[in-house]
């Protein structure tokens, strides 16, 4: 298929798409503002638009909208939060009947860095010393990284409000490589960073003297029970990392749906992904369209594939 299908209707659709990208991508819009897009395919031939396929980016809790038939599909970052929806843990008080169509390959991890000048050797020390930590985190309290921060601190019996009550403060950011964070690291005005998106800031933080803190076994056990995975980053992946570091995995962007979606619909979406693969922006961890149905480091999957999607991958000889 051509990059832009023939016909005036698709020229108009492309114009609408570009308008949406510009507005949602405005760097001055905070992360909790109108930055998400919902793509709807259906019929506009009547007084009311009749949607057939509605797909959205957004918060992990959009999984509820998927299961209420308000959307057909959504993307979530990272895979670990979709696992919580499937298990009924963490953000989700009960299991949701969700299934995966494909996992966009994204190899990333979540680290907890603290400067040695604090004297803190573990996250447990923050509570024990009631340390007034100057912490760099995301500004959007609903962001998936903030969910993981809250869940991690819960394993240690503390909250962000506790840290604030001890005299701590928060340096707030939009994306992980926010210039505000990089400036704070350079100026030495933060003691710690808890975040993902490592290629955008991790080496700079290490160069500024911060060091990765490995979670205690009980904290790992708590987080893994929720649905997270562990991952060990090897030296050489980042130039300033000199030894193995075991942390929480933050990989994969699942495109998911509800279990009741017709098999043919899921199959058609997989077919569309394959047909348009050359028009999709892929990260370096992408190895081919079959990878989207595999369980790999970049596409971790602890939620079942939708039967229609599984059929598509199997028919083409891909591992699932």
């Amino acid at each position: 298929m051509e990059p832009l299908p023939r016909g005036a209707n698709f020229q108009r659709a492309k114009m609408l798409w570009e308008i949406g990208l510009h507005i949602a991508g405005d760097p001055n819009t905070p992360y909790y503002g109108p930055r998400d897009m919902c793509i709807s395919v259906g019929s506009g031939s009547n007084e009311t638009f009749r949607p057939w396929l509605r797909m959205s980016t957004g918060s992990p809790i959009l999984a509820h909208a998927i299961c209420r038939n308000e959307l057909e599909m959504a993307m979530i970052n990272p895979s670990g939060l979709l696992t919580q929806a499937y298990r009924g843990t963490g953000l989700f008080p009960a299991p949701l009947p969700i299934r995966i169509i494909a996992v966009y390959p994204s190899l990333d991890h979540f680290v907890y860095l603290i400067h040695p000048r604090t004297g803190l050797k573990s996250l447990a020390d923050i509570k024990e010393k009631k340390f007034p930590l100057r912490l760099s985190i995301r500004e959007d309290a609903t962001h998936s990284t903030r969910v993981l921060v809250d869940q991690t601190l819960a394993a240690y019996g503390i909250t962000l409000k506790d840290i604030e009550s001890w005299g701590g403060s928060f340096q707030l950011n939009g994306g992980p490589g926010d210039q505000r964070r990089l400036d704070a690291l350079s100026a030495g005005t933060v003691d710690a960073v808890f975040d993902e998106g490592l290629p955008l800031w991790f080496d700079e933080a290490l160069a500024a003297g911060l060091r990765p803190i490995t979670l205690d076994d009980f904290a790992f056990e708590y987080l893994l029970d929720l649905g997270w995975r562990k991952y060990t980053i090897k030296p050489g992946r980042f130039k300033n990392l000199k030894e193995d570091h075991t942390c929480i995995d933050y990989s994969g962007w699942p495109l998911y749906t509800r279990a009741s979606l017709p098999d043919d619909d899921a199959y058609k979406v997989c077919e569309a992904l394959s047909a348009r693969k050359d028009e999709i922006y892929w990260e370096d961890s992408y190895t081919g369209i079959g990878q989207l149905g595999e369980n790999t480091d970049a596409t971790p999957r602890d939620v079942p594939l939708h039967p229609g999607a599984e059929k598509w991958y199997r028919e083409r000889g891909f591992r699932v």
Side-chain angles (χ1 to χ4, degrees):
M1 184 181 289
E2 298 177 2
L4 180 63
R6 291 182 181 275
N9 193 43
F10 300 109
Q11 292 172 232
R12 294 190 286 267
K14 181 69 160 53
M15 179 177 173
L16 298 180
W17 166 250
E18 296 299 338
I19 292 170
L21 284 182
H22 182 82
I23 293 174
D26 185 346
N28 295 316
T29 302
Y31 256 56
Y32 47 83
R35 298 184 72 255
D36 296 302
M37 292 183 65
C38 180
I39 310 301
S40 186
V41 181
S43 174
S45 298
N46 297 281
E47 291 184 5
T48 301
F49 184 83
R50 296 198 304 269
W52 172 74
L53 179 64
R54 296 160 296 182
M55 304 174 288
S56 177
T57 61
S59 165
I61 57 175
L62 274 180
H64 293 291
I66 296 289
C67 294
R68 290 194 301 260
N69 294 0
E70 295 168 7
L71 294 167
E72 277 63 61
M73 297 180 189
M75 289 191 77
I76 191 171
N77 173 33
S79 290
L81 283 170
L82 192 64
T83 304
Q84 293 186 28
Y86 179 69
R87 293 181 180 179
T89 58
L91 285 176
F92 301 92
L96 295 178
I98 43 101
R99 298 292 185 269
I100 284 178
I101 300 292
V103 182
Y104 180 99
S106 177
L107 187 64
D108 200 6
H109 318 294
F110 194 102
V111 295
Y112 309 82
L113 268 65
I114 300 180
H115 201 288
R117 65 172 171 253
T118 63
L120 301 173
K121 305 295 184 182
S122 74
L123 297 192
D125 288 346
I126 301 173
K127 180 180 180 181
E128 182 178 341
K129 299 181 179 183
K130 296 186 176 180
F131 193 87
L133 192 68
R134 298 176 299 175
L135 174 61
S136 179
I137 53 175
R138 300 294 184 93
E139 63 187 354
D140 180 4
T142 68
H143 194 272
S144 56
T145 58
R146 291 285 296 267
V147 173
L148 178 51
V149 168
D150 289 345
Q151 291 177 346
T152 302
L153 294 179
Y156 287 90
I158 56 176
T159 66
L160 288 174
K161 286 186 177 181
D162 290 332
I163 293 174
E164 199 169 26
S165 73
W166 301 329
S169 60
F170 308 123
Q171 186 274 310
L172 302 177
N173 307 275
D178 194 313
Q179 191 61 46
R180 292 173 290 180
R181 167 175 290 165
L182 300 180
D183 290 345
L185 288 170
S186 179
T189 56
V190 292
D191 302 315
V193 182
F194 299 169
D195 211 343
E196 49 93 33
L198 303 192
L200 300 174
W201 65 273
F202 188 52
D203 269 327
E204 289 81 354
L206 293 173
L210 280 73
R211 294 293 176 262
I213 298 294
T214 300
L215 298 180
D216 294 283
D217 288 344
F218 71 84
F220 272 130
E221 183 178 352
Y222 176 81
L223 294 172
L224 269 58
D225 283 346
L226 290 179
W228 298 102
R229 290 187 179 190
K230 281 201 297 188
Y231 188 91
T232 298
I233 309 173
K234 299 292 183 181
R237 173 129 184 254
F238 298 95
K239 67 178 182 180
N240 291 325
L241 183 66
K242 306 304 181 185
E243 58 186 13
D244 287 359
H245 176 60
T246 300
C247 58
I248 292 295
D249 188 52
Y250 213 82
S251 300
W253 303 348
L255 173 65
Y256 67 97
T257 185
R258 53 186 170 271
S260 62
L261 187 84
D263 289 1
D264 286 349
D265 292 358
Y267 191 96
K268 287 177 182 177
V269 171
C270 291
E271 187 66 25
L273 280 168
S274 180
R276 306 291 291 181
K277 62 182 183 297
D278 293 338
E279 306 304 322
I280 297 172
Y281 176 85
W282 301 108
E283 296 187 357
D284 292 343
S285 51
Y286 172 72
T287 61
I289 199 68
Q291 182 189 19
L292 278 64
E294 293 183 42
N295 181 15
T296 72
D297 283 350
T299 58
R301 193 183 76 234
D302 293 309
V303 175
L305 285 170
H306 188 283
E310 182 176 355
K311 178 183 178 183
W312 188 90
Y313 291 111
R314 289 192 183 280
E315 284 183 355
R316 281 146 189 82
F318 296 129
R319 292 181 296 172
V320 295

